[in-house]
Amino acid sequence: MLVIQTLENGIKVVLEEIGYVRSVSFGIWVKNGTRNERPEENGISHYIEHMMFKGTKHRSAREIAEEMDAVGGQINAYTTKEYTCYHTRVLDKHMVRAMDVMSDMLLYPAFSQEEVEKERNVIKEEIDMYDDAPEELVHDCLQDDIWRDSSLGMPILGTEDTIAHLTADTIRAYYERNYHTENIVISVAGHFRTADMMNLLNQYFGRWRAKYPYEPWETKAQYHISKIQIPKNVEQMHTCIAFPGLEREHPLKYAMAVFQTIFGGGMSSRLFQKIREEQGLTYSIYSYTTAFADTGLFSIYASMNHSQAEAVYRGIAAEIRAVREEDISRRMLEVTKEQMISSFMIGSESTLNRMTSAGAALLLRGEVQEIEEVMEQIEQVQKKDLAEVMDLIFSSGVFSYSAVGNLQGVDFTNTIEKFFS
């Protein structure tokens, strides 16, 4: 059972006791990401994530790594457009050690100029790595351009120009403005007693006070039609087609998830079966959704030999028409819902997944649904809901595309416009 409580300093906590496991997954969720950055600060949220592992007032970077390795603990972090998450998983008997390390990282980061300079080169390498991976770049470049007039359209890693100007002082100042008791959530799932865990959390986190008032910086995001072509000296062509989607808390979000699974969510989906299995045109093809507080996308990805591009675009467009004109059978709907519920239940057997689901929900939505509630929402999706979702995605005729890789001989203007306009 999920329990939501509040620490002495106002930090919200979501706890889930799971008595039949021996591990504990622990996460610190900060509602700070690219959306909170000004253009000249782009990449600073991700930079801070890196710097949290580079030493504190009490530990060096080596000591952080050695302490967690000594107890067989897993520790990691990641930054997104809307939040940053620091998480660990350890045996229950090592939870105090892990919490001591994690609280030290969050509350007492060193931010030394020497380490900032070292990490700048690491992040530059990370930027170059993404630029060298067309299967990653094709997604990011399209989303960044679609939301180009807002902070949501800035790259999570920043650019070489923006991170070049970051110093220990600017990083600390940003941290002090944006890491706050009002925008932090702690999530814990695994083998513990709630009362004991709350005592520990108050001991390690509950006395912390933010230095300044919390003043979030966000910009509204608006969909802009985008057409991106980036030639790369590789064999394959990678492409994305993105339609306006649904914001995170849209009433039809569960219907969108069901439709996405039917259309391109797995090996039994329409896209995979028709374009890969029946026509043999591509090795990889799928659809996916992206949802933020105020906007979203429905996207289709495919990779192929450039000579197959027109046939793949034609096939995708044909499947969009077919799924709208044909009636999705009741059997297909029920099978898909069962598939989603089974996958959700299997995933929930992991303490890390349960901690992640609860932490993200409390941070972004302010509430957490029990597993049974999610299953019920999926079960309630009807065929009319799927029809409404398809109308929302496809009826406007608005779409964007990106293509990265070997683009030789592909007439994008005529091909894309011919099939999707």
Side-chain angles (χ1 to χ4, degrees):
M1 179 179 176
L2 292 164
V3 176
I4 297 176
Q5 298 194 12
T6 304
L7 299 186
E8 294 167 1
N9 57 359
I11 291 177
K12 290 183 178 180
V13 177
V14 55
L15 307 171
E16 184 174 16
E17 292 185 35
I18 307 173
Y20 55 83
V21 300
R22 288 298 309 276
S23 67
V24 179
S25 291
F26 175 86
I28 302 167
W29 299 76
V30 188
K31 198 174 183 181
N32 177 76
T34 318
R35 292 206 79 158
N36 305 92
E37 300 171 356
R38 293 165 174 81
E40 66 273 14
E41 301 170 326
N42 183 211
I44 195 169
S45 299
H46 173 256
Y47 215 126
I48 287 173
E49 175 218 314
H50 277 233
M51 293 306 301
M52 289 294 192
F53 292 84
K54 305 307 290 182
T56 72
K57 290 182 179 180
H58 312 109
R59 291 175 170 89
S60 67
R62 185 185 184 94
E63 287 170 334
I64 291 171
E66 287 179 344
E67 281 198 53
M68 294 306 296
D69 283 350
V71 297
Q74 302 169 2
I75 185 170
N76 212 332
Y78 58 92
T79 303
T80 73
K81 296 280 189 178
E82 293 188 306
Y83 63 86
T84 305
C85 176
Y86 305 89
H87 59 92
T88 185
R89 183 169 63 170
V90 294
L91 289 178
D92 50 7
K93 65 180 180 178
H94 299 310
M95 187 62 232
V96 174
R97 171 76 68 86
M99 194 175 296
D100 188 53
V101 173
M102 294 285 282
S103 63
D104 196 23
M105 291 168 58
L106 177 72
L107 307 184
Y108 305 105
F111 294 140
S112 75
Q113 185 62 38
E114 179 183 0
E115 292 295 339
V116 168
E117 294 299 335
K118 289 180 185 177
E119 205 61 21
R120 198 185 324 273
N121 291 327
V122 174
I123 295 174
K124 284 180 180 178
E125 291 293 327
E126 193 174 355
I127 292 170
D128 290 342
M129 179 182 70
Y130 273 91
D131 191 53
D132 287 342
E135 67 277 10
E136 301 285 347
L137 181 60
V138 72
H139 304 279
D140 293 342
C141 71
L142 184 57
Q143 292 193 17
D144 290 349
D145 199 58
I146 285 173
W147 293 309
R148 56 184 174 269
D149 288 343
S150 75
S151 55
L152 195 60
M154 298 190 301
I156 293 171
L157 304 184
T159 67
E160 289 198 19
D161 287 340
T162 58
I163 68 168
H165 303 294
L166 299 180
T167 67
D169 288 340
T170 56
I171 288 172
R172 179 168 293 282
Y174 184 91
Y175 161 84
E176 290 175 346
R177 291 197 315 271
N178 291 279
Y179 277 59
H180 202 285
T181 54
E182 291 186 35
N183 73 331
I184 288 178
V185 160
I186 293 175
S187 178
V188 193
H191 190 252
F192 59 85
R193 292 182 181 274
T194 295
D196 295 338
M197 182 58 67
M198 285 300 295
N199 287 335
L200 279 174
L201 291 171
N202 272 311
Q203 176 185 339
Y204 284 101
F205 295 94
R207 301 184 183 97
W208 176 54
R209 297 292 186 273
K211 192 171 183 179
Y212 301 107
Y214 180 51
E215 297 179 359
W217 165 269
E218 287 186 8
T219 58
K220 293 292 184 182
Q222 184 177 359
Y223 185 103
H224 295 278
I225 294 175
S226 301
K227 301 174 182 180
I228 309 292
Q229 299 171 31
I230 303 177
K232 292 281 185 181
N233 186 23
V234 294
E235 288 297 320
Q236 278 203 314
M237 170 184 148
H238 302 262
T239 190
C240 271
I241 307 165
F243 303 85
L246 308 182
E247 65 271 20
R248 184 167 48 241
E249 295 307 311
H250 194 283
L252 289 169
K253 66 179 182 179
Y254 290 103
M256 169 68 91
V258 173
F259 170 71
Q260 192 281 128
T261 302
I262 292 171
F263 187 70
M267 293 179 65
S268 63
S269 68
R270 296 182 63 121
L271 281 179
F272 192 93
Q273 285 297 312
K274 179 65 72 172
I275 295 174
R276 172 179 162 143
E277 296 297 273
E278 292 185 22
Q279 301 177 25
L281 295 174
T282 178
Y283 177 75
S284 179
I285 186 166
Y286 57 84
S287 63
Y288 64 98
T289 59
T290 307
F292 296 105
D294 55 346
T295 188
L297 295 177
F298 181 87
S299 303
I300 300 166
Y301 163 84
S303 62
M304 72 218 77
N305 185 286
H306 63 94
S307 65
Q308 306 276 35
E310 183 170 350
V312 170
Y313 285 129
R314 181 190 299 112
I316 293 171
E319 279 308 298
I320 292 174
R321 287 194 303 272
V323 77
R324 298 188 68 193
E325 293 169 359
E326 299 170 6
D327 185 33
I328 294 176
S329 70
R330 185 167 300 280
R331 180 181 179 280
M332 174 58 71
L333 174 58
E334 295 305 320
V335 167
T336 302
K337 290 194 290 188
E338 181 60 30
Q339 172 190 346
M340 293 174 63
I341 289 170
S342 297
S343 177
F344 179 70
M345 290 295 293
I346 291 170
S348 70
E349 293 182 357
S350 160
T351 59
L352 180 60
N353 287 351
R354 288 169 86 142
M355 180 279 292
T356 298
S357 177
L362 186 58
L363 184 77
L364 299 175
R365 297 169 49 208
E367 62 179 9
V368 184
Q369 291 178 297
E370 296 280 359
I371 292 174
E372 291 74 19
E373 293 180 75
V374 176
M375 292 167 54
E376 183 180 353
Q377 292 289 338
I378 295 172
E379 285 284 12
Q380 289 177 358
V381 173
Q382 302 297 318
K383 290 170 63 174
K384 62 180 179 60
D385 301 320
L386 302 184
E388 191 172 349
V389 163
M390 287 186 278
D391 283 343
L392 287 171
I393 299 170
F394 301 125
S395 289
S396 69
V398 175
F399 68 92
S400 298
Y401 75 88
S402 60
V404 179
N406 187 344
L407 313 184
Q408 184 178 354
V410 182
D411 183 355
F412 288 100
T413 300
N414 289 330
T415 300
I416 296 284
E417 296 298 330
K418 177 170 62 177
F419 294 131
F420 295 96
S421 294

